Amino acid sequence: DAKTTQPNSMESNEEEPVHLPCNHSTISGTDYIHWYRQLPSQGPEYVIHGLTSNVNNRMASLAIAEDRKSSTLILHRATLRDAAVYYCILRNDYGQNFVFGPGTRLSVLP
Amino acid sequence: DAGVIQSPRHEVTEMGQEVTLRCKPISGHDYLFWYRQTMMRGLELLIYFNNNVPIDDSGMPEDRFSAKMPNASFSTLKIQPSEPRDSAVYFCASLNSEALTNEQFFGPGTRLTVL
């Protein structure tokens, strides 16, 4: 399975944008890039996903590098409720195997 | 919809006892997943089903673990006999492969403590 690399932790101030990076240099052409987050004491929840083009939804934006070897999850205005562990995951179009790495623990400071 | 339902939410048992964790997926979802989360190993996929059929159980740690999905609305994860190293939070998730987002919906988890 293709692997992802994320920073262990990041900090942000409330109301400021946050850019969470993910490296996936061994990504294959059929791998989708998924982002999930896990709030304290909860199960993970879906944030966004993409294949090649940048994606936007109500929660976040996903910027995918042209060579697809990296991507960035963008939270446009961080709130205290965005404090969570963010996971970047690759999913092959042929299956549903999700390999969760350690993710990035985001702290949001008031 | 109530989302993915797991029971019990907390389970404390003694080593050697049988433990059964239960999951009700979201109606209409055709995939069901069982995960385990610990501080040391993070979130691990144990097994997943498609239309009630086990597809990949390579993450099941050993023969003490078994999972079943007798119908589309119910699945169990059984540990027999349980050991202290099985202590973890166990999550069930379901997915509708027809949906555009291919999104897994996770339940609240069962926190298992084996003494």
Side-chain angles (χ1 to χ4, degrees), chain B residues 49-80:
Chain B
F49 296 82
N50 178 219
N51 292 323
N52 314 337
V53 176
I55 301 302
D56 185 348
D57 65 354
S58 60
M60 295 286 263
E62 48 197 273
D63 292 345
R64 296 184 298 107
F65 285 69
S66 62
K68 294 181 179 179
M69 192 163 184
N71 57 62
S73 58
F74 183 65
S75 177
T76 60
L77 178 67
K78 185 175 293 186
I79 309 172
Q80 165 63 13

Side-chain angles (χ1 to χ4, degrees), chain A residues 69-81:
Chain A
K69 293 183 185 298
S70 66
S71 60
T72 302
L73 179 70
I74 302 166
L75 306 180
H76 296 285
R77 289 182 66 191
T79 69
L80 297 178
R81 290 172 296 176

Side-chain angles (χ1 to χ4, degrees), chain A residues 32 34 36 38 41-49 57 87 91-92 94-102 105, chain B residues 9 31 33 35 37 41-45 48 56 58 91 95 97 100-109 111:
Chain A
Y32 286 79
H34 284 249
Y36 278 71
Q38 188 172 19
S41 301
Q42 295 188 27
E45 63 177 356
Y46 170 87
V47 178
I48 200 166
H49 84 288
N57 67 19
Y87 300 99
R91 180 186 68 83
N92 190 284
Y94 301 115
Q96 298 290 354
N97 281 35
F98 267 42
V99 178
F100 283 80
R105 182 173 297 277
Chain B
R9 292 294 308 278
Y31 280 83
F33 306 80
Y35 291 88
Q37 188 170 37
R41 301 177 66 89
L43 195 60
E44 304 172 280
L45 176 64
Y48 74 91
D56 185 348
S58 60
F91 289 103
L95 175 152
S97 63
L100 287 176
T101 59
N102 198 255
E103 173 183 353
Q104 288 192 28
F105 290 84
F106 283 76
R111 182 174 295 276

Side-chain angles (χ1 to χ4, degrees), chain A:
Chain A
D1 290 330
K3 296 286 193 290
T4 63
T5 305
Q6 302 176 251
N8 289 335
S9 62
M10 291 184 64
E11 261 186 16
S12 172
N13 293 318
E14 200 176 6
E15 302 293 318
E16 289 187 357
V18 182
H19 290 231
L20 297 163
C22 180
N23 288 319
H24 27 78
S25 58
T26 60
I27 191 170
S28 74
T30 55
D31 284 339
Y32 286 79
I33 302 159
H34 284 249
W35 284 82
Y36 278 71
R37 72 179 185 181
Q38 188 172 19
L39 303 172
S41 301
Q42 295 188 27
E45 63 177 356
Y46 170 87
V47 178
I48 200 166
H49 84 288
L51 183 62
T52 56
S53 304
N54 294 345
V55 185
N56 300 294
N57 67 19
R58 63 176 177 81
M59 287 183 71
S61 296
L62 176 59
I64 301 172
E66 200 168 327
D67 63 4
R68 300 209 327 125
K69 293 183 185 298
S70 66
S71 60
T72 302
L73 179 70
I74 302 166
L75 306 180
H76 296 285
R77 289 182 66 191
T79 69
L80 297 178
R81 290 172 296 176
D82 291 322
V85 178
Y86 287 78
Y87 300 99
C88 170
I89 305 154
L90 300 182
R91 180 186 68 83
N92 190 284
D93 194 36
Y94 301 115
Q96 298 290 354
N97 281 35
F98 267 42
V99 178
F100 283 80
T104 296
R105 182 173 297 277
L106 175 66
S107 301
V108 180
L109 307 177

